[in-house]
Amino acid sequence: MKKIAILGAGITGLSTAYFLKKREDAPDIEIFESGQIGGQVQTEIYEDCIIEKGPETFQMRTPLLKVLCEELNISDKLKQAQKEAAKRYIIKEGQLVKLPAGPLSFLTTSAMSFFQKIKLILALKKKFSLWPGMSFFDGTRNIFGQEFAEYLSSSVARGVYGTEAEDLEFSSAFPDVYEAIQHTPSLIKAVKKIIAEKKQYWQNELGENAFEGFEKGMYSFEGGLITFVEALRNSIKEKGVKIENTKIQRVINKRNEYYVHTKQNKYGPFDKVISTVSPGELSQIIKEMNKPASVRLNEMKYSPMTVVVQAWDKNNFSYPGFGFLAPRKEKMPMLGTLFSSNIFSHKAPKHLFLTKTMISGDSDLFNDEEVSTMQYEGLKKIFKIKKPPLWYKIYRYKQGMPKYFLGYHEWKEDVLSLLSPFPEFQLSGWHFSGMGLSDALANSYKIAKNFDQNNTKNSEE
């Protein structure tokens, strides 16, 4: 039986262990985590409110989460976002503007000018050429025009990646879209190709009936996303997976076997190592084993993030919908705000309106009260709010979100090339395999499926 070390017990690490244990030739697995189990997913209960300190929702794009919840016996705890939270907004010229939810509302939306709507319709039947290393802003401006890039592309980049569209590498942030645009005769055919290929892949993997009863959308769990984390952890522990809550000092390779060293102990030998930790942490871990790769890993860039959770008396402030995003052009003090208690009613008592605001950049110059006040003043300019929030919670992340920066693809290829002498050392996680919980699950599934393939490039699957 092979023995595997997984570095990191976030969603990627836990789900990789889960899918590996489902194999007929399931390996012996040991997970190492220096922080909290769950990684980016951390739920806090405060004043009867469920606060997600990291991701707010699980964007279900394939039936994989549905199938996994059935296997974990937590389908009854799965919560779909409320239909009334479907309204989404952006800030345009200082005003809240509703985004179109379908073709008919697209014709009447004020989020885009008439000229922009015509340009978008015409673009669907055209073929476009994109070049490696171009930004998401430049790519979408090339396809749809300046207005689209300034308001919609900017909002997407800020809302998903916590960074500016001008700083986001198109081919790395949206690889499927980038490749499809390059190799299909029109934009509309590129979109259809992506949808068809993904559906076919998961039908082949999960069965022809996998999409029966499946509904795309945003989901959470009774008790918050941590419910899913705990179910995964409990399941893999029952299957014999060991979880060591300790800080890794280094990983070394001797005669094609790997050893994990902590301050107190040495673990191993392992036949394979799967790393899901951040490049900065991994840089220190492999410094002795591969110094050139260690140096290159340390060059990863991040978007610092501050999360401001505020609870409001509904008589003072409440607004329908999912929330809003603020494009860079609007020069607002926030990236956007989620209306958390609208998305999932179980997140707060009925008399409270719970919001979650994301701020980009380092906020260490301001204390918590000052940060909350700044966001209150920012929201007051958009909504008719007369009183400050009843309470607030501030969460600061210096290494908030991995930044798929301009030149990221080249950086990633260099890292993989430098690690190629160690084919059983694999990279995964948000820094290498796509952002979000859905991407994390899908990549973990593919790692387990391709377990016997000896190459580090599984992180690109």
Side-chain angles (χ1 to χ4, degrees):
M1 179 184 290
K2 286 190 174 182
K3 191 171 182 181
I4 311 300
I6 296 177
L7 314 184
I11 288 292
T12 304
L14 295 173
S15 59
T16 298
Y18 178 86
F19 291 125
L20 282 170
K21 278 297 184 183
K22 288 185 66 177
R23 290 177 59 100
E24 290 184 4
D25 58 346
D28 189 13
I29 301 172
E30 201 156 358
I31 299 177
F32 298 86
E33 173 59 63
S34 61
Q36 293 180 293
I37 306 298
Q40 298 275 4
V41 176
Q42 296 298 328
T43 305
E44 179 179 345
I45 309 299
Y46 182 78
E47 297 288 343
D48 295 325
C49 291
I50 299 174
I51 298 172
E52 300 293 357
K53 294 156 70 171
E56 187 72 15
T57 68
F58 193 112
Q59 185 71 36
M60 196 189 295
R61 297 192 287 266
T62 73
L64 185 58
L65 176 64
K66 171 178 165 286
V67 171
L68 191 49
C69 287
E70 291 169 356
E71 293 174 355
L72 294 171
N73 295 316
I74 55 170
S75 295
D76 59 327
K77 298 186 187 312
L78 196 61
K79 300 282 187 181
Q80 186 171 15
Q82 299 185 102
K83 301 297 183 184
E84 52 266 35
K87 296 178 183 176
R88 300 179 184 224
Y89 310 89
I90 61 168
I91 303 297
K92 187 174 184 181
E93 298 175 356
Q95 302 296 315
L96 206 62
V97 177
K98 184 182 173 184
L99 289 171
L104 292 178
S105 57
F106 166 77
L107 296 174
T108 59
T109 181
S110 58
M112 291 177 281
S113 66
F114 177 75
F115 175 76
Q116 177 61 71
K117 293 173 187 176
I118 296 298
K119 190 173 180 63
L120 195 152
I121 292 171
L122 294 175
L124 293 176
K125 294 187 176 181
K126 292 182 180 179
K127 174 161 177 67
F128 295 91
S129 296
L130 305 174
W131 56 91
M134 77 185 309
S135 72
F136 181 53
F137 186 92
D138 287 340
T140 50
R141 180 176 59 182
N142 181 39
I143 298 170
F144 300 117
Q146 184 77 16
E147 183 186 347
F148 187 99
E150 286 182 341
Y151 282 98
L152 298 181
S153 302
S154 176
S155 296
V156 168
R158 289 176 140 223
V160 178
Y161 291 92
T163 190
E164 306 300 348
E166 292 88 343
D167 301 328
L168 192 64
E169 190 171 74
F170 197 160
S171 62
S172 297
F174 306 97
D176 293 343
V177 176
Y178 180 86
E179 287 298 317
I181 289 174
Q182 295 287 74
H183 299 105
T184 48
S186 70
L187 188 60
I188 188 67
K189 288 185 177 179
V191 174
K192 289 179 178 179
K193 180 176 184 288
I194 293 170
I195 294 171
E197 286 181 351
K198 282 189 179 293
K199 184 172 183 179
Q200 187 61 57
Y201 176 85
W202 290 110
Q203 279 182 327
N204 291 341
E205 293 299 316
L206 304 176
E208 285 295 323
N209 299 324
F211 283 83
E212 288 185 8
F214 164 71
E215 190 173 349
K216 288 183 179 180
M218 294 171 298
Y219 289 79
S220 185
F221 292 85
E222 182 181 312
L225 291 174
I226 199 68
T227 298
F228 180 58
V229 170
E230 290 171 349
L232 268 179
R233 179 193 60 191
N234 293 339
S235 177
I236 62 175
K237 287 182 76 172
E238 287 174 3
K239 293 176 173 64
V241 175
K242 297 176 184 176
I243 301 179
E244 305 290 348
N245 196 214
T246 182
K247 183 176 176 60
I248 303 168
Q249 290 193 324
R250 66 187 184 276
V251 172
I252 61 172
N253 177 276
K254 288 184 178 180
R255 302 182 192 89
N256 295 322
E257 292 181 327
Y258 295 90
Y259 295 85
V260 176
H261 292 255
T262 67
K263 190 174 182 179
Q264 295 83 14
N265 296 301
K266 171 184 172 182
Y267 300 85
F270 297 100
D271 300 293
K272 185 187 288 284
V273 175
I274 301 171
S275 174
T276 71
V277 301
S278 72
E281 185 177 351
L282 184 59
S283 171
Q284 298 304 310
I285 290 172
I286 68 164
K287 185 182 289 186
E288 184 177 327
M289 186 177 81
N290 190 322
K291 190 170 183 180
S294 170
V295 171
R296 200 74 168 105
L297 280 164
N298 210 32
E299 295 171 4
M300 179 63 184
K301 299 177 182 179
Y302 298 87
S303 298
M305 186 75 63
T306 300
V307 176
V308 183
V309 176
Q310 295 170 310
W312 313 79
D313 185 324
K314 278 190 175 179
N315 294 321
N316 173 37
F317 175 36
S318 180
Y319 203 85
F322 180 85
F324 70 87
L325 292 168
R328 183 180 192 175
K329 189 172 183 178
E330 293 297 310
K331 299 179 181 179
M332 297 290 291
M334 74 280 284
L335 299 174
T337 297
L338 297 176
F339 303 153
S340 299
S341 54
N342 283 353
I343 304 170
F344 300 106
S345 60
H346 69 290
K347 289 288 184 78
K350 291 183 178 180
H351 69 284
L352 292 181
F353 182 56
L354 193 68
T355 62
K356 181 178 178 181
T357 299
M358 282 65 67
I359 310 169
S360 180
D362 196 338
S363 63
D364 282 353
L365 292 175
F366 307 97
N367 62 37
D368 286 359
E369 184 177 356
E370 289 170 332
V371 170
S372 179
T373 299
M374 283 190 290
Q375 297 320 302
Y376 164 52
E377 295 296 333
L379 292 172
K380 195 161 68 169
K381 290 178 181 178
I382 307 169
F383 306 96
K384 295 179 180 179
I385 307 175
K386 296 180 180 179
K387 298 178 182 178
L390 298 174
W391 54 261
Y392 59 84
K393 296 281 285 185
I394 311 292
Y395 306 96
R396 303 170 193 259
Y397 304 98
K398 285 191 177 294
Q399 291 188 353
M401 299 176 75
K403 198 169 184 177
Y404 285 24
F405 55 91
L406 301 182
Y408 170 88
H409 180 76
E410 181 182 349
W411 170 85
K412 179 179 172 180
E413 287 296 309
D414 284 351
V415 169
L416 293 174
S417 176
L418 290 167
L419 285 173
S420 60
F422 306 97
E424 299 294 349
F425 195 99
Q426 300 181 299
L427 304 180
S428 188
W430 288 16
H431 301 83
F432 299 101
S433 309
M435 290 285 289
L437 303 179
S438 182
D439 284 341
L441 271 195
N443 190 59
S444 297
Y445 180 93
K446 291 171 184 177
I447 285 178
K449 180 185 176 183
N450 301 325
F451 175 60
D452 293 327
Q453 294 182 10
N454 292 338
N455 65 77
T456 59
K457 292 195 176 182
N458 64 42
S459 61
E460 297 181 84
E461 294 293 333

